[in-house]
Amino acid sequence: MMTLSTSLDIIPRMGSTVIEHCRTTRAHVDKDIAAFNGDMTALAEPSCCLRSRRITHSCISLLPPEILTTIFTYIVEEDTFKSHTGTPRPCDVPISVMITHVCRHWRQVALECPTLWAFLNCVSINWLDIMFKRSRKAALVVIYRSPGPLRKCFQQILSQLPRIKFLQLCSSPWEVDRILDCLSSQPALSLQTFKFSVVRKSYTRVIGPISDAIFKGRAPLLRSVELTECTFSWTSCIFSGLRTLDVRRIGSASYPTLSQLLSALRRMPGLEQLTLGLSSRISEDTELFDQVPLTRLKSIALDTCTLQNAVSLFSCLAFPVDVKIALNLAPIGSCLSDLFSAMHKDPDGPGPIIRSMRVSLSYHTFGIQFGTSMMFKSEYFWDPHDDDILLSIQFKCSSSTRKPPVVFDMCQMVPHRQIQSLFVTSSLCLRDNFWRVGSADLPELESIQLSGTCNIRSLIAVLQSGGTQSSDMAYPSLHALELENIDFGCGEAEELQDIIIMRAGHGVGIHELRLVKCRNLMDDRVQLLKEVVAVVDWDGHEEGLVGGDGSGGGCLCHICRDESSSGEDYAQALLHSDYDYDPDSDAYSED
């Protein structure tokens, strides 16, 4: 077989000649195919042979087998690990089989690569024997994301358990016991990653914990376990060498006490990523616990967790100061200070610098994030794996209470904060006090990015306030402002221009202005802003506010309200005023 080094040594010297020969040959074949299509009796060679000849003389066929194998493996891996493929495969044919149907050369290369046949992505029972045979002794990657394709073939698949290195199964509740029996029949000597989920419905039976007998107690290479709607025995030693543990939606029948949870974590000294769903209150027992050292921990995520559970767990863990923390909490109570004290046991010690803050406010969900960079790379708010987000807290609000909790109180509890960027996404109309509190708590803030359907009336009012000295102005370090998906009221663009002129006169000018998908903002108004701002980035989006009758009049500023004859829009605005943000509102109780 030609080696990669040999191919790289030969092809460059004669590449142009070979390519030209291929082009000439393909041109002749194309003529033959055209003649065949015009007159089926003109050629003795079938069209399939002509197409095969055309592929054989294509440039890609000159690639060494090693490179072709790499390309094929990449294609198969992409198909295996993607949640959804672009187009459905005909008759559930594996990608590796489809590759062998392109031409003789590709088929020969594919058949000589056992790894190519080791990816079993929802493969039907009809192809399993072929895949097992052609993969020879290669370690298997097995993924079944739904119970349907697995139902008929899990016994055949799990008979290969000793050579499976990646195993992801999704089971119906009625087949969990049978699948676990198969998983307990042999040791998993090659298994590195195990993902098991159960499709649950409200009327299905309770799923008990996975017993210690799984893998016959032998899985020496196992480093990652993800379980959904089921859990393991918290006293088991089978998962002691884990680097990743992800257990969500734990059933009430297998819910751990705090001592059981801590004992399990104590047996995982090499743990790097921990995700737990702790929706029911953990029984704290009566004994005192020594802190569990997780010296290699990189991230911890608590999903659908009560605040009390988070406080209890963090109080008993010792981990590095740069661990990324993501919390998806039930409605927050009054003990936020207890939570931050448990997470940051030594706030005056060394740690990463927090440079950015992102706030998301809506009717049912609120969230706050703190990052170490000036920007947020992730579009998702609750993302445990975002490298730049050191702390992320998201929680549901009570439907009976419409006022969101105090986000800037959380900001004051975060150690090592030098916040220079503030990102606010809100579907609520923020009051003046929101921006005043933000100005007081974020004195070093350099940029504000505001997006959502809320207007900027309150922000304009706060930016106008201040004395004659630059230090008395709101946000004295602010120099960049980004407005996205904002409804400009009548005269607000002119007011913003006046504010920028006034602040520039006090030495606190805004030098960058970005406008994206803003409504009721026309070119002439943007030109006014360009006269006073050095850099104005406008996407050119021009759109007037449209009322319910389609004739305009949707603006809710005081001028338009006074001119409105029916006052319906104003009444609608008053209806939504209950959703306004009040930073002085009482925090939620856990009840």
Side-chain angles (χ1 to χ4, degrees):
M1 180 179 292
M2 184 184 298
T3 63
L4 182 59
S5 58
T6 305
S7 65
L8 293 175
D9 198 28
I10 294 176
I11 290 180
R13 292 200 297 262
M14 55 183 300
S16 58
T17 304
V18 173
I19 291 174
E20 186 60 34
H21 171 72
C22 289
R23 287 175 177 172
T24 303
T25 305
R26 288 176 60 192
H28 290 309
V29 174
D30 288 342
K31 291 181 180 179
D32 291 343
I33 292 176
F36 180 85
N37 292 333
D39 182 4
M40 299 186 63
T41 62
L43 295 172
E45 193 172 12
S47 62
C48 60
C49 295
L50 291 173
R51 283 192 290 270
S52 179
R53 281 178 53 200
R54 190 179 191 277
I55 294 173
T56 301
H57 289 89
S58 63
C59 295
I60 195 172
S61 296
L62 297 177
L63 293 175
E66 291 86 352
I67 295 180
L68 275 179
T69 298
T70 301
I71 295 173
F72 296 161
T73 304
Y74 175 80
I75 293 171
V76 174
E77 287 181 349
E78 279 288 293
D79 177 72
T80 301
F81 290 106
K82 277 184 178 179
S83 297
H84 302 283
T85 54
T87 55
R89 281 171 269 133
C91 303
D92 295 326
V93 177
I95 291 291
S96 51
V97 173
M98 296 175 64
I99 290 174
T100 63
H101 292 175
V102 175
C103 66
R104 292 187 182 92
H105 178 54
W106 283 26
R107 179 178 177 83
Q108 181 181 358
V109 172
L111 292 178
E112 292 178 355
C113 178
T115 305
L116 199 64
W117 304 91
F119 294 88
L120 308 181
N121 180 21
C122 294
V123 174
S124 69
I125 193 171
N126 301 324
W127 294 100
L128 285 178
D129 287 338
I130 293 177
M131 301 293 286
F132 291 153
K133 180 180 179 181
R134 292 180 179 177
S135 61
R136 301 172 195 171
K137 296 182 180 180
L140 300 177
V141 174
V142 178
I143 297 179
Y144 284 82
R145 295 186 178 91
S146 60
L150 180 65
R151 185 171 296 116
K152 297 180 181 179
C153 60
F154 70 84
Q155 291 178 322
Q156 190 171 353
I157 290 172
L158 297 182
S159 67
Q160 305 291 319
L161 185 59
R163 56 183 289 217
I164 296 177
K165 70 174 181 179
F166 185 103
L167 180 60
Q168 178 177 349
L169 303 177
C170 180
S171 170
S172 63
W174 301 276
E175 292 172 327
V176 169
D177 291 340
R178 296 173 59 199
I179 290 178
L180 292 180
D181 286 344
C182 289
L183 288 172
S184 303
S185 63
Q186 299 183 76
L189 302 179
S190 302
L191 190 62
Q192 300 174 18
T193 300
F194 177 52
K195 299 182 180 183
F196 187 64
S197 60
V198 181
V199 177
R200 292 289 303 275
K201 294 183 179 179
S202 58
Y203 57 83
T204 55
R205 66 182 182 84
V206 175
I207 305 298
I210 297 174
S211 72
D212 296 354
I214 190 170
F215 312 134
K216 278 200 169 181
R218 297 178 60 194
L221 302 181
L222 188 60
R223 296 295 178 264
S224 177
V225 170
E226 297 183 18
L227 304 175
T228 305
E229 295 287 5
C230 64
T231 186
F232 60 94
S233 173
W234 296 94
T235 59
S236 174
C237 295
I238 184 67
F239 298 147
S240 298
L242 293 186
R243 301 290 182 266
T244 299
L245 176 63
D246 187 332
V247 184
R248 308 194 195 195
R249 296 195 287 276
I250 303 172
S252 57
S254 53
Y255 218 76
T257 64
L258 183 59
S259 61
Q260 290 175 331
L261 179 56
L262 294 176
S263 297
L265 295 178
R266 197 180 296 277
R267 291 191 296 272
M268 305 174 189
L271 197 64
E272 298 178 357
Q273 296 179 347
L274 173 63
T275 301
L276 296 173
L278 301 174
S279 56
S280 298
R281 181 161 296 191
I282 299 177
S283 173
E284 297 191 23
D285 304 321
T286 57
E287 58 182 301
L288 297 176
F289 305 104
D290 293 332
Q291 287 194 345
V292 176
L294 298 176
T295 58
R296 298 185 181 181
L297 195 66
K298 297 178 180 178
S299 67
I300 179 171
L302 303 182
D303 192 13
T304 59
C305 180
T306 66
L307 183 60
Q308 187 58 47
N309 281 348
V311 173
S312 299
L313 183 59
F314 281 121
S315 299
C316 299
L317 296 181
F319 45 77
V321 295
D322 58 348
V323 165
K324 296 187 293 292
I325 300 175
L327 307 177
N328 187 12
L329 300 175
I332 282 192
S334 57
C335 53
L336 275 175
S337 58
D338 294 341
L339 174 63
F340 279 82
S341 297
M343 289 189 297
H344 309 294
K345 297 180 177 65
D346 184 15
D348 297 326
I353 303 300
I354 300 297
R355 302 191 183 278
S356 58
M357 172 180 172
R358 179 162 67 177
V359 179
S360 175
L361 304 172
S362 65
Y363 179 57
H364 289 294
T365 305
F366 301 95
I368 183 168
Q369 287 181 325
F370 298 94
T372 55
S373 67
M374 294 287 287
M375 300 296 295
F376 286 89
K377 299 177 182 178
S378 172
E379 297 179 2
Y380 301 97
F381 195 81
W382 193 75
D383 187 354
H385 304 297
D386 194 305
D387 292 335
D388 294 325
I389 299 177
L390 199 65
L391 175 61
S392 177
I393 303 177
Q394 179 173 287
F395 49 91
K396 301 289 184 180
C397 68
S398 171
S399 60
S400 61
T401 307
R402 293 178 175 178
K403 296 182 183 299
V406 184
V407 294
F408 289 113
D409 277 0
M410 298 188 202
C411 176
Q412 294 304 303
M413 298 176 189
V414 176
H416 309 295
R417 60 186 180 278
Q418 297 178 13
I419 297 178
Q420 298 170 301
S421 299
L422 173 63
F423 302 80
V424 179
T425 302
S426 177
S427 58
L428 312 179
C429 292
L430 304 179
R431 292 181 179 175
D432 298 2
N433 206 23
F434 176 90
W435 297 110
R436 289 196 182 95
V437 173
S439 177
D441 291 346
L442 305 174
E444 300 176 354
L445 195 68
E446 297 180 359
S447 66
I448 294 177
Q449 176 179 307
L450 176 62
S451 63
T453 57
C454 57
N455 58 48
I456 60 170
R457 170 61 56 188
S458 59
L459 177 59
I460 287 178
V462 172
L463 292 178
Q464 282 178 322
S465 62
T468 58
Q469 302 296 323
S470 60
S471 58
D472 298 330
M473 303 292 295
Y475 299 103
S477 300
L478 183 67
H479 64 76
L481 183 62
E482 179 175 337
L483 305 175
E484 181 177 352
N485 194 24
I486 300 295
D487 296 337
F488 270 80
C490 292
E492 288 182 347
E494 292 81 354
E495 289 184 57
L496 185 59
Q497 180 194 30
D498 293 339
I499 290 171
I500 293 172
I501 294 174
M502 180 267 293
R503 290 176 65 89
H506 289 80
V508 288
I510 296 176
H511 310 302
E512 299 178 25
L513 179 62
R514 187 166 182 259
L515 304 167
V516 181
K517 296 182 181 178
C518 292
R519 293 172 290 277
N520 203 28
L521 185 65
M522 302 303 175
D523 180 69
D524 56 341
R525 302 179 185 180
V526 176
Q527 293 304 319
L528 294 176
L529 296 171
K530 289 183 177 180
E531 294 176 2
V532 295
V533 181
V535 178
V536 177
D537 183 8
W538 180 46
D539 63 353
H541 181 81
E542 290 188 352
E543 180 182 331
L545 290 173
V546 179
D549 58 356
S551 59
C555 180
L556 299 179
C557 69
H558 66 281
I559 298 176
C560 292
R561 290 202 303 265
D562 291 341
E563 295 178 352
S564 174
S565 59
S566 65
E568 291 181 359
D569 291 325
Y570 183 45
Q572 187 69 15
L574 291 177
L575 176 64
H576 288 282
S577 65
D578 283 343
Y579 305 156
D580 287 358
Y581 180 84
D582 182 2
D584 298 322
S585 62
D586 294 333
Y588 292 115
S589 66
E590 283 198 67
D591 297 333

